[in-house]
Amino acid sequence: MNRILLAASALVAVPAFAQTSPPQPPQAATASPSSPPVATTIALPSVVPPVAPRRHKPSPAELRVRAANAKATREPATPDFIHAVQVYPYGEGVLYRLFAAPERVSDIALQPGEAIVSVAAGDTARWTIGDTTSGAGENRRVHILVKPFAAGLSTNLVITTDRRAYHLQLDSTPATAMAALSWTYPQDEMIAIRRQQASAEAARPVASGLAVERLDFGYIVTGDRPVWRPLRAFNDGRQTFVEFPASIAVGEAPPLFVIGDQGDAQLVNYRMAGRFYVIDRLFDAAELRLGGKKQVVVRISRAGTSPNRQRRAS
C-alpha cells in the first residue's frame, strides 16, 4: 500500500515542464476573409480652363500712327537694285524695309565720309547688330551689319550720323535676305548742282567788252546797313553796275529807284547778273528801298553830286 502511494507521489512531483508538449512551428498568418481591402481616394485639384486673352481694340490715334507708318514705308523695288544692292533714295522721315534671314548677314552702307553717332534697335536679344568700315580718307564708308537669330522676327533700327538719321524696318524670313542696301541723296546732289552753277555764275564776266581803263568807281554808298548793303558801284560810260555781297542770293532783293533833278524817285529797269545789278543807263543818285512802314533805304550817289540830287523823295 505504501509503495503505491509513493509511486503516486513521485508522479505528482514531476516538474511542470516535463508535462508540457514540445513547441509547435509558427503558423503563417492568414488574412481574415471578413474585411475586404479599402481603396484610398486622392483628391485632385480642379482644372481651370485657360482664359482667352482679350483682343486689344486700337484707338483712333493708334490707327492713325499705323496708317502713317505704312504710308512712309519704302519697299524694295526691282528698278532700284544695282546687282544685289537695293539703292533707296533718301528722304527725311521715310521707313526703309530690310529683309534678313538666319545665318545671313545683311549690309547697310552709309554715305562715304559719314560718321556714326549712335545705332539703336528695338530687339537686341534676337538680332545681332555690328558695324565696320571700308575705304580710307574721304572714301571711308561705314557699314552696319545685321543678322537675325530666327525667322519670323520683326524690329526697327535707328541710325544717327553727323549728317542725318536713318529709320529702318527689319523683318526676318526663313531664307530670303537682302545682301546690302544703300542710299542716293537727291538733296545733296541738288546742293552740289547749285554750287556748281553759282561758281560758274561768279566766274562769268558781268558784261562783255568792259574796258578796265574806262571804269568809273566814283560812287559812295550811304544810309542804312542791311545785310544786302552794296559793296560798291561803278560805270563804264554806258551802263551802271551795283555789286552786292553773296547774301543777296538768299534774301529778298531791293528795288532800285533813280533820284531825279527835283528829288523825285523813279523805278528803273535793271537785271541781275550773279550778284550785280546792271542798269542800262547812268545816274547821279539812286536809292535801294525795302520794307513797308520801317523802310530800309541805302543811297548810291556819285562823289561830288549836289545834296539836292541826293535828297530822298518825300
Side-chain angles (χ1 to χ4, degrees):
M1 184 68 178
N2 291 332
R3 289 181 180 178
I4 295 172
L5 291 176
L6 290 174
S9 299
L11 182 62
V12 174
V14 174
F17 64 82
Q19 299 179 13
T20 59
S21 59
Q24 300 295 323
Q27 300 293 325
T30 58
S32 173
S34 60
S35 57
V38 179
T40 303
T41 305
I42 301 176
L44 297 176
S46 59
V47 178
V48 179
V51 179
R54 295 180 60 184
R55 296 186 62 182
H56 171 69
K57 184 178 180 181
S59 66
E62 289 179 272
L63 294 176
R64 289 193 293 270
V65 171
R66 294 179 185 181
N69 288 345
K71 187 176 180 180
T73 301
R74 186 70 182 256
E75 304 287 352
T78 300
D80 296 334
F81 273 99
I82 298 179
H83 302 298
V85 181
Q86 171 72 192
V87 182
Y88 286 120
Y90 178 81
E92 189 74 26
V94 178
L95 293 173
Y96 301 98
R97 179 89 64 186
L98 183 145
F99 290 104
E103 302 180 1
R104 298 287 187 273
V105 175
S106 296
D107 174 20
I108 303 171
L110 305 185
Q111 188 179 30
E114 196 169 13
I116 287 179
V117 175
S118 68
V119 179
D123 183 356
T124 56
R126 298 179 296 176
W127 290 78
T128 299
I129 300 173
D131 65 273
T132 186
T133 60
S134 65
E138 294 181 355
N139 296 322
R140 185 177 182 272
R141 194 170 194 178
V142 175
H143 301 261
I144 308 297
L145 308 178
V146 299
K147 184 180 70 171
F149 282 109
L153 304 179
S154 180
T155 191
N156 71 315
L157 181 69
V158 179
I159 305 168
T160 59
T161 71
D162 57 346
R163 299 178 183 176
R164 58 185 62 87
Y166 301 87
H167 299 266
L168 294 97
Q169 177 62 38
L170 310 182
D171 294 287
S172 65
T173 69
T176 303
M178 295 168 63
L181 68 84
S182 63
W183 287 267
T184 58
Y185 302 89
Q187 187 174 3
D188 288 6
E189 293 169 2
M190 287 298 300
I191 292 174
I193 291 172
R194 288 174 183 171
R195 285 176 179 171
Q196 291 176 359
Q197 292 175 343
S199 299
E201 190 72 21
R204 192 177 67 182
V206 178
S208 58
L210 286 178
V212 176
E213 65 274 7
R214 294 179 57 187
L215 297 182
D216 178 8
F217 291 91
Y219 291 85
I220 58 175
V221 180
T222 58
D224 297 326
R225 293 183 172 275
V227 292
W228 46 261
R229 180 186 171 101
L231 302 176
R232 59 182 175 175
F234 57 93
N235 73 74
D236 65 348
R238 185 175 59 89
Q239 296 174 309
T240 305
F241 303 89
V242 180
E243 183 181 1
F244 291 89
S247 59
I248 192 69
V250 296
E252 186 178 359
L256 179 72
F257 297 86
V258 170
I259 308 301
D261 293 340
Q262 303 302 319
D264 55 321
Q266 301 175 353
L267 183 64
V268 296
N269 293 327
Y270 57 89
R271 64 182 182 276
M272 285 199 73
R275 53 195 180 96
F276 288 86
Y277 278 9
V278 181
I279 304 100
D280 292 326
R281 56 168 290 185
L282 304 180
F283 58 80
D284 290 332
E287 289 183 352
L288 295 161
R289 303 177 182 177
L290 187 63
K293 294 182 179 180
K294 282 190 77 172
Q295 198 172 55
V296 177
V297 179
V298 177
R299 288 178 289 276
I300 304 170
S301 56
R302 282 195 182 189
T305 305
S306 66
N308 292 335
R309 297 289 298 276
Q310 299 180 32
R311 186 174 68 246
R312 175 183 173 182
S314 59

